[in-house]
Amino acid sequence: MSTFSLLNTATTSLWAQRRALDVTGQNISNVNTDGYSRQRVDMRAIGGSAVPAFYSTGSGIGGGVNADQVARIRDAFLEGRGHTEHANSAQLTAETDAYQLVEQAFREPGTTGLQNLMADMWRGWQDVANKPEDPAARGQVLKRLETLVGGLHFSSAQLDGQWQQTRENLSVLVDDVNAAAETVARLNTAILRASQSGLPANDLTDQRDLLVMKLADQVGVSVRPRDGGVVDVLVGSVTLVSGGTASKLAVQGTIDPTGAAGDPPRVVTADGGLTVTVGGTAGGQLHTLNSILPTYRTELDAVASALATALNTAHADGYDLDGLQGGALIGSSGGPVTASSITVSLTDPRKIAASSIGPGTPNLDRGNADKLAQLGNGVASPDAAYRKMIVELGVQSAVSQRNLGIQSVITGQVDAARESVAGVNLDEEMTNMLSFQHAYSAASRLVTAIDEMLDVLINRTGRVGL
């Protein structure tokens, strides 16, 4: 190796250490940047010539260092785990929020809850039994019945409103997914062009992976890598992004809460209408629309129907103040009796059939009123059915919250593992910075030493005795 070759070796070292310092500075600058992956300069020794020749031989020491490649530090396995766990966490969060809103709709336990309203109504019948001649007692039981009906209307309206809001949120989310998929496709194209041109694409890859993680939260995706740094994004068995091409999703199904059983909401491909199995927030919202809310809406309707049947049947067995047989207490504003259509049909307190003696004999008997007051005590009473529903709701909500808590811990552990690999550690970067700084100083000192050697060789050789 010639002296001038040694100067070139020192020059490559200076360039490599400076590039490493540049990358370290980039890492430090982006320590708080969301989605940023730390970078590292891959230094490789420049070896001597390995080509045999008769008259040209090398020392085999090498020609310095090469630092052209800047690696982006990521663990593909941990990224895949992150996609899965984030999707699970997002789905459980959506379901837990749905259960909490259902609990708010029933307002239990509390003075405005349906259980308390039904208890007040039964006590009103007991007051009529105690004072069948008192118009105030008869009037107040009708008012309490109207209050109970209003509570059923409110709970039903809350469930319907939650269903419609969730349906709208699902449509907005799918539109956002389509926009993110388009951006991922464009980034794939840009990354491929950069790769083919030999240019770095680390920042573009960070942007794309951040969007892919967002898609995992929204619909639950998996990633399939391809050549050139490109990835395909799959939702279930459907390819959402293939290289530089993005497909679109859409929401189909009823927009009416009453039609969820016949035409359930679902996510499909915009082209062809193929049903897509989604996870993440969309999966939780679909479970809310097709299972959670319809289940409790149906059970609430069953409570309203049972209440109407029990009251009307018992009331028909009695007689009012005029000795006439009791008519229907509860009716419907249209169709079968449900929580949303239930109404109070009786408005005249004299028509309350408190007596069990008749017909045609006006009296102040209280037998039927006492019978009506006891309707809430049986194991097959509307109160028992309602309590069973509330207990089931509480259990499901507690289970969902517990599962979410467990999943949050798992997701946090996976994120911590991902951060330990891809995140920027300031202590490590400071150590690297000092290392590269000293290496740069050493390379500079080598240049100085070579300069002194050349000075001796050129300016002082042959001047002995002068």
Side-chain angles (χ1 to χ4, degrees):
M1 176 181 290
S2 69
T3 304
F4 288 99
S5 296
L6 185 60
L7 186 62
N8 181 70
T9 299
T11 302
T12 62
S13 178
L14 287 171
W15 184 85
Q17 308 310 322
R18 188 189 65 187
R19 185 170 177 81
L21 282 169
D22 290 340
V23 172
T24 300
Q26 176 74 357
N27 288 340
I28 294 173
S29 299
N30 290 278
V31 64
N32 294 317
T33 301
D34 189 22
Y36 178 80
S37 301
R38 68 186 178 96
Q39 301 179 23
R40 180 185 64 201
V41 175
D42 286 341
M43 297 187 184
R44 297 190 303 275
I46 301 175
S49 175
V51 179
F54 285 106
Y55 304 104
S56 176
T57 58
S59 63
I61 296 176
V65 62
N66 181 288
D68 289 337
Q69 298 298 321
V70 178
R72 174 176 173 267
I73 310 301
R74 282 273 179 166
D75 188 314
F77 171 75
L78 287 176
E79 292 303 308
R81 277 291 308 278
H83 296 156
T84 300
E85 302 305 338
H86 273 259
N88 292 339
S89 182
Q91 180 168 351
L92 287 172
T93 299
E95 293 175 0
T96 301
D97 291 344
Y99 279 118
Q100 290 176 347
L101 289 175
V102 172
E103 289 178 320
Q104 293 176 15
F106 292 124
R107 309 175 303 285
E108 299 291 355
T111 58
T112 60
L114 291 178
Q115 181 63 59
N116 189 67
L117 297 180
M118 282 193 286
D120 284 345
M121 188 265 297
W122 301 129
R123 284 193 294 268
W125 283 111
Q126 190 62 55
D127 291 341
V128 174
N130 293 334
K131 295 182 179 181
E133 76 286 355
D134 188 357
R138 291 172 172 265
Q140 59 85 25
V141 76
L142 291 180
K143 291 300 181 183
R144 292 185 183 185
L145 192 56
E146 290 174 357
T147 302
L148 173 59
V149 167
L152 288 167
H153 289 170
F154 179 83
S155 295
S156 179
Q158 288 288 99
L159 294 179
D160 289 350
Q162 184 182 347
W163 193 96
Q164 292 169 347
Q165 184 63 53
T166 304
R167 178 66 168 77
E168 293 174 2
N169 291 344
L170 179 61
S171 297
V172 172
L173 184 142
V174 168
D175 291 340
D176 193 23
V177 166
N178 290 335
E182 288 284 352
T183 305
V184 170
R186 289 196 297 268
L187 287 171
N188 268 342
T189 301
I191 291 169
L192 180 60
R193 290 175 180 172
S195 177
Q196 292 172 341
S197 303
L199 299 175
N202 293 340
D203 293 337
L204 294 175
T205 307
D206 282 343
Q207 296 176 33
R208 183 196 62 197
D209 286 357
L210 189 61
L211 283 174
V212 171
M213 186 60 73
K214 176 184 176 183
L215 288 173
D217 280 327
Q218 292 176 322
V219 292
V221 300
S222 57
V223 172
R224 183 172 57 200
R226 292 170 51 179
D227 295 336
V230 176
V231 298
D232 291 344
V233 181
L234 291 81
V235 181
S237 59
V238 175
T239 302
L240 181 62
V241 179
S242 177
T245 305
S247 302
K248 288 186 177 296
L249 302 179
V251 180
Q252 288 186 357
T254 182
I255 59 175
D256 184 359
T258 60
D263 186 18
R266 56 199 179 277
V267 176
V268 301
T269 56
D271 296 330
L274 178 65
T275 301
V276 181
T277 302
V278 296
T281 301
Q285 291 175 339
L286 284 177
H287 184 61
T288 300
L289 293 172
N290 297 327
S291 179
I292 297 176
L293 293 177
T295 295
Y296 289 105
R297 190 177 188 277
T298 299
E299 292 186 8
L300 183 63
D301 288 343
V303 170
S305 178
L307 179 66
T309 301
L311 285 174
N312 287 341
T313 301
H315 194 257
D317 292 338
Y319 302 91
D320 61 20
L321 288 176
D322 298 321
L324 301 177
Q325 186 175 8
L329 267 176
I330 301 296
S332 171
S333 59
V337 174
T338 63
S340 60
S341 67
I342 188 171
T343 60
V344 179
S345 300
L346 191 64
T347 58
D348 186 358
R350 289 187 58 84
K351 298 298 182 181
I352 291 179
S355 173
S356 59
I357 300 174
T361 306
N363 59 81
L364 296 177
D365 181 71
R366 63 180 185 179
N368 200 49
D370 189 61
K371 176 183 175 182
L372 283 161
Q374 302 304 316
L375 290 178
N377 298 327
V379 293
S381 66
D383 298 58
Y386 179 76
R387 286 193 295 269
K388 179 176 179 293
M389 179 185 70
I390 293 300
V391 169
E392 290 176 352
L393 173 60
V395 170
Q396 292 294 332
S397 180
V399 169
S400 181
Q401 291 179 23
R402 183 172 64 251
N403 290 341
L404 177 58
I406 296 172
Q407 182 60 47
S408 296
V409 173
I410 296 173
T411 304
Q413 292 174 344
V414 173
D415 285 344
R418 291 174 55 239
E419 184 66 19
S420 69
V421 174
V424 176
N425 186 303
L426 288 178
D427 293 336
E428 180 182 354
E429 297 302 326
M430 289 294 292
T431 302
N432 291 339
M433 183 178 66
L434 291 174
S435 175
F436 298 141
Q437 181 183 5
H438 286 301
Y440 189 90
S441 298
S444 301
R445 187 68 186 87
L446 178 60
V447 173
T448 302
I450 297 170
D451 178 64
E452 292 176 356
M453 292 169 58
L454 290 174
D455 180 64
V456 171
L457 181 64
I458 295 172
N459 297 323
R460 301 183 187 181
T461 303
R463 294 175 62 83
V464 177
L466 294 179

